[in-house]
Amino acid sequence: MTEEYIMMQDIIQEHKERIENIKKYYPFFKLADNSLLQWKEGKYSCLDMGYITMAVLRFFIDENNLKDKDVAYQEYESFLHTILVRDFQLKVAEEEEKELCAYLFDKLLNEGKPFSFDYFDPKDHQKKTIRMKLIESRIIDSNLFYRITSEAIEFYLDTKEIKEESSISVEQLLLSKLIDTQNFKGGIEVVKRINREVNKLKLRRNEVLAILSADVFEGKKVYEAYINDITKWFDEEQRLFKKNSELIEKALEKAELDKKGKENARFFAMMDEIYTLELEIKKAMYKHSELLSLCTDLQLQADEIVKKSKLSTLRNSFDFNHAMNQMMEKDNVEAMEALILPLLQLNVKKQFSFVLTENLLSMKAENQEETETVTEGEEAAYVYEDELEEERISGNFHKIVRILFEKLQREQAFTLHQFNEELIQRLGERVLKNADYYTFLVHMCQKNTYSVREIRQKPDTFFEEIVHEILERKSDYDELCFRLIPKGEETVKITEMLEISDIQFEKVDESWKKEI
């Protein structure tokens, strides 16, 4: 009964934590499962998406974290070209290879959305969603750059460099790399995650003590497993903390030497980040010391509980009927000797010391220890950054699609340049500086022809899903069909540094062949 109770508690209480631990592997297996058999009629089925994923992640770690620089798309394209030619002996035309690189990169970005899957939380009795990105994008000086996420770094390191099961060791190694690259702000977040993991181990200690109190035999197994896990990584953690403290000291010295060549605002901001990181590391070391002290106390308490349990398991009475039945079954009368001899040597004279009587009357009752109830605080509601981004992108797409459909209802055909002028008139000049607009164009150009009637029945692409959401609220576009015609060498100049290929928008009838 006790074993079943412990098993059910482990299943319920630890499920969310286990899902959080395995989420970093989900994007890799989802990408590796994509064998490229359905794209281009299986022309590139020889490519291993799992190997390409690991290679690209290592490339981003080297560029972002070791060289401390953002990656432009052209740099990724050049790296992937080397992989395709060297490892897969792939030789195709330049334009075809560019299209392949773009397709693979779109898979790694998951079309700009986070990799997500739903799971059931038995503790809260509701479905929840896990989200994770491998690569993030950001715009710097009107140029688009990419960086690897900390979850992707953790996944990559966990596959090779860290062999223990402790997630704290992964965070420590990541912290060393962040300090080496002077990413002190990211290091602060890593140390905070380490402190949260230590807090979980401290709470786990209370759970072990509770199991020991309820069932000493099962509790002894859980206690030994907990102590082994703690001692296995504690020495390594101390060594890594010492190494990271030395790296911070070197960073302070280097910052002082480079002070003259930096702006005062940036210098003081960096110094503030270094001191904050140093303070967080000291807090983490103190929490580790607290955990070690708690483990020592747990050992003493466990020994006391086991000792009391051994004494309480001794029988304080003897069942003569049971003993007689056993002797009759074995047909062995000699066993009666163990019962009779003690009775023949009884010491019936008993004495009670007067000293003990005096102590009994003068002894004061000991104060009973009050138990401390430890409650785990509830997690505050948290809105993920990718949810905010999805809400923003969806809102921007809805505005652009409505303006496009209204213009198609008014005009037979128009170019992308004319459409841009319409957007500027309706939304302002800032619309052409918004990255969501160019993301919209990329998604829209995945198909050449669109029928609103078919989109309403079955949306196939991300663009069609946005259109489908609009159609649910408004049915004025049901008869609308249009196609996209590339303009070849003609381009639309957005800024002095940016040009994009021009597109012709044309309405067509339901047959998709005869123009209106």
Side-chain angles (χ1 to χ4, degrees):
M1 192 69 181
T2 304
E3 294 179 356
E4 183 179 357
Y5 171 80
I6 294 172
M7 178 191 69
M8 295 306 296
Q9 288 299 309
D10 287 346
I11 292 173
I12 295 172
Q13 300 295 332
E14 299 177 2
H15 182 67
K16 181 179 180 180
E17 182 179 351
R18 295 183 185 279
I19 291 296
E20 288 289 341
N21 289 335
I22 65 175
K23 76 172 184 179
K24 57 191 175 186
Y25 301 100
Y26 174 74
F28 170 79
F29 288 108
K30 186 174 182 180
L31 290 170
D33 189 52
N34 179 15
S35 59
L36 301 175
L37 289 175
Q38 299 179 355
W39 193 65
K40 295 289 185 180
E41 299 179 351
K43 181 178 180 179
Y44 302 102
S45 59
C46 61
L47 302 181
D48 186 344
M49 194 63 188
Y51 171 73
I52 293 174
T53 301
M54 299 299 288
V56 172
L57 290 182
R58 176 51 198 268
F59 168 71
F60 272 87
I61 290 175
D62 191 77
E63 296 294 317
N64 294 154
N65 297 92
L66 302 183
K67 297 181 182 178
D68 195 24
K69 61 184 291 290
D70 294 322
V71 176
Y73 177 81
Q74 292 77 10
E75 295 174 316
Y76 149 81
E77 197 176 54
S78 176
F79 169 78
L80 192 59
H81 167 76
T82 304
I83 294 293
L84 296 175
V85 173
R86 185 195 65 196
D87 298 327
F88 298 100
Q89 290 80 45
L90 186 67
K91 297 180 180 179
V92 294
E94 182 178 355
E95 291 298 324
E96 191 173 353
E97 183 179 287
K98 288 183 178 294
E99 184 180 6
L100 173 62
C101 291
Y103 177 82
L104 295 177
F105 195 63
D106 191 47
K107 290 296 181 183
L108 291 170
L109 293 178
N110 197 30
E111 298 180 350
K113 300 180 292 184
F115 296 89
S116 61
F117 68 95
D118 297 330
Y119 76 100
F120 176 75
D121 189 347
K123 190 175 181 181
D124 296 336
H125 299 285
Q126 62 180 0
K127 280 192 174 182
K128 295 184 178 180
T129 303
I130 289 291
R131 293 176 174 82
M132 177 184 171
K133 283 186 175 181
L134 294 179
I135 300 172
E136 293 180 331
S137 62
R138 59 179 179 175
I139 297 177
I140 303 175
D141 297 332
S142 300
N143 294 317
L144 188 61
F145 293 94
Y146 301 90
R147 291 190 72 89
I148 189 171
T149 63
S150 59
E151 291 89 352
I153 297 175
E154 183 179 345
F155 159 71
Y156 187 86
L157 296 178
D158 202 22
T159 58
K160 175 70 169 63
E161 297 185 31
I162 297 299
K163 299 180 181 179
E164 297 88 13
E165 297 178 355
S166 171
S167 60
I168 301 179
S169 296
V170 180
E171 301 288 1
Q172 282 274 30
L173 186 57
L174 176 57
L175 175 60
S176 299
K177 293 184 179 295
L178 291 174
I179 296 175
D180 278 335
T181 57
Q182 296 187 358
N183 187 356
F184 304 111
K185 188 174 182 180
I188 294 171
E189 296 299 323
V190 170
V191 178
K192 289 181 178 179
R193 288 202 298 268
I194 292 175
N195 289 334
R196 287 196 291 268
E197 292 294 330
V198 174
N199 288 334
K200 290 180 182 178
L201 291 174
K202 291 168 70 175
L203 293 175
R204 178 62 178 164
R205 176 255 186 195
N206 296 330
E207 296 174 4
V208 171
L209 191 58
I211 297 172
L212 267 171
S213 303
D215 186 346
V216 70
F217 297 101
E218 188 63 30
K220 194 73 165 56
K221 298 177 183 178
V222 177
Y223 158 77
E224 290 175 352
Y226 175 76
I227 293 297
N228 289 336
D229 291 340
I230 293 294
T231 55
K232 184 169 66 173
W233 58 262
F234 195 87
D235 292 338
E236 180 67 12
E237 294 300 307
Q238 292 295 100
R239 184 183 65 81
L240 289 173
F241 270 129
K242 182 178 179 181
K243 176 185 175 183
N244 289 328
S245 298
E246 293 174 354
L247 289 174
I248 289 178
E249 292 178 1
K250 292 181 180 178
L252 285 170
E253 295 175 359
K254 185 177 180 181
E256 290 290 344
L257 293 175
D258 297 341
K259 179 179 179 181
K260 295 181 180 179
K262 295 185 178 179
E263 298 179 1
N264 291 334
R266 174 55 188 156
F267 171 78
F268 289 114
M270 185 178 67
M271 294 296 290
D272 184 64
E273 291 175 358
I274 295 174
Y275 285 123
T276 303
L277 176 58
E278 185 178 22
L279 180 61
E280 290 294 334
I281 288 182
K282 289 180 179 179
K283 288 181 182 179
M285 295 177 70
Y286 177 74
K287 286 183 176 291
H288 274 66
S289 300
E290 280 187 332
L291 179 61
L292 182 61
S293 178
L294 289 173
C295 291
T296 304
D297 293 339
L298 177 62
Q299 289 177 323
L300 297 176
Q301 290 175 302
D303 292 340
E304 187 66 23
I305 291 174
V306 171
K307 182 180 178 181
K308 290 181 179 180
S309 177
K310 289 180 179 178
L311 294 175
S312 63
T313 54
L314 297 176
R315 289 179 179 270
N316 54 8
S317 61
F318 187 81
D319 190 345
F320 287 91
N321 290 329
H322 180 68
M324 183 181 68
N325 291 333
Q326 282 189 330
M327 285 186 286
M328 291 174 64
E329 290 176 0
K330 295 180 181 179
D331 194 18
N332 184 8
V333 183
E334 294 180 356
M336 294 185 64
E337 180 181 358
L339 299 177
I340 297 174
L341 286 179
L343 297 176
L344 298 178
Q345 300 176 1
L346 291 178
N347 184 10
V348 295
K349 295 180 181 180
K350 299 292 182 181
Q351 294 179 349
F352 194 82
S353 174
F354 290 101
V355 177
L356 294 178
T357 305
E358 183 179 356
N359 292 340
L360 187 65
L361 296 174
S362 61
M363 184 175 61
K364 296 181 179 180
E366 296 182 358
N367 295 329
Q368 295 183 351
E369 295 183 358
E370 296 182 359
T371 58
E372 179 183 358
T373 303
V374 180
T375 58
E376 184 177 356
E378 297 183 358
E379 293 184 1
Y382 182 77
V383 180
Y384 292 93
E385 292 184 3
D386 53 89
E387 292 177 338
L388 296 176
E389 291 184 3
E390 287 180 3
E391 183 178 355
R392 187 204 73 233
I393 293 172
S394 178
N396 291 339
F397 277 27
H398 282 210
K399 294 177 183 177
I400 299 172
V401 169
R402 287 196 184 95
I403 295 173
L404 175 63
F405 281 9
E406 291 174 3
K407 191 172 181 64
L408 283 169
Q409 286 184 326
R410 296 194 310 266
E411 302 179 19
Q412 171 65 33
F414 53 88
T415 63
L416 180 61
H417 178 71
Q418 295 170 331
F419 180 54
N420 288 345
E421 292 179 347
E422 179 83 12
L423 290 175
I424 293 173
Q425 183 180 358
R426 298 276 295 274
L427 302 177
E429 294 184 356
R430 293 184 61 186
V431 66
L432 299 184
K433 297 181 180 180
N434 194 321
D436 294 343
Y437 171 57
Y438 302 100
T439 305
F440 165 81
L441 293 178
V442 171
H443 283 287
M444 184 177 62
C445 292
Q446 289 181 346
K447 296 176 66 174
N448 296 328
T449 312
Y450 289 95
S451 169
V452 172
R453 192 181 302 279
E454 290 199 356
I455 293 175
R456 184 183 289 278
Q457 295 175 355
K458 184 181 178 182
D460 293 331
T461 64
F462 180 72
F463 172 76
E464 291 184 346
E465 289 178 358
I466 297 295
V467 175
H468 186 265
E469 292 178 6
I470 298 176
L471 296 176
E472 290 180 350
R473 307 171 190 172
K474 195 171 183 180
S475 59
D476 297 345
Y477 310 119
D478 286 351
E479 303 300 325
L480 184 62
C481 298
F482 66 96
R483 64 182 179 181
L484 309 177
I485 304 175
K487 299 289 287 182
E489 300 296 330
E490 298 182 19
T491 60
V492 178
K493 188 173 183 180
I494 306 299
T495 64
E496 295 182 358
M497 301 290 293
L498 178 62
E499 290 184 1
I500 59 176
S501 300
D502 200 2
I503 303 172
Q504 178 83 10
F505 297 87
E506 288 188 2
K507 284 195 294 188
V508 296
D509 63 4
E510 281 293 338
S511 66
W512 293 14
K513 295 180 181 179
K514 180 181 177 182
E515 295 185 1
I516 297 176

